[in-house]
Amino acid sequence: MSRKELWHPIMVGSELIFLLAGSGLGLYYRRMAERWHRATLADTRACIESRIRLETEREQQEQLLLSVIPAYIAAEITIDPENDRVSPKVDGSDRIVW
């Protein structure tokens, strides 16, 4: 056997190992990307659902406010969502408008 014939199976084997390693790495990357996309989708969905709930609660709060006081007074009152307090609007001249 010549030297070229001896190297042929070794080259085929090394190329096969290289292709299998590349395929394994590609499958691993695909699985990790799918996990990341699913987690992102779940987070986005939770965020959208919480925004919808918040908007619904805000609309209910507005309706409750309008049912208790007249609309022209309610239009001049702001509701601070951070600390759930009702505060008057302040115009540009630092006057408090009730």
Side-chain angles (χ1 to χ4, degrees):
M1 290 179 105
S2 71
R3 197 168 200 184
K4 190 175 186 180
E5 292 173 355
L6 289 175
W7 281 102
H8 182 68
I10 294 173
M11 290 180 67
V12 169
S14 65
E15 288 180 11
L16 181 65
I17 291 172
F18 179 73
L19 289 174
L20 288 174
S23 296
L25 187 61
L27 288 173
Y28 174 76
Y29 176 77
R30 181 178 177 191
R31 184 169 301 258
M32 296 306 289
E34 284 178 5
R35 280 187 186 173
W36 181 76
H37 287 297
R38 285 186 183 141
T40 303
L41 178 65
D43 290 343
T44 303
R45 184 177 183 174
C47 180
I48 290 171
E49 287 173 353
S50 67
R51 283 184 178 210
I52 290 171
R53 272 194 309 267
L54 181 64
E55 185 63 31
T56 303
E57 289 176 6
R58 190 171 289 146
E59 288 173 3
Q60 289 174 351
Q61 189 176 29
E62 179 85 20
Q63 290 299 321
L64 180 62
L65 181 66
L66 290 175
S67 70
V68 174
I69 60 175
Y72 69 92
I73 295 175
E76 296 181 2
I77 296 176
T78 59
I79 298 173
D80 188 8
E82 292 179 9
N83 55 11
D84 291 334
R85 292 187 178 173
V86 176
S87 60
K89 288 186 179 180
V90 178
D91 62 3
S93 64
D94 293 331
R95 293 185 318 184
I96 297 176
V97 179
W98 283 99

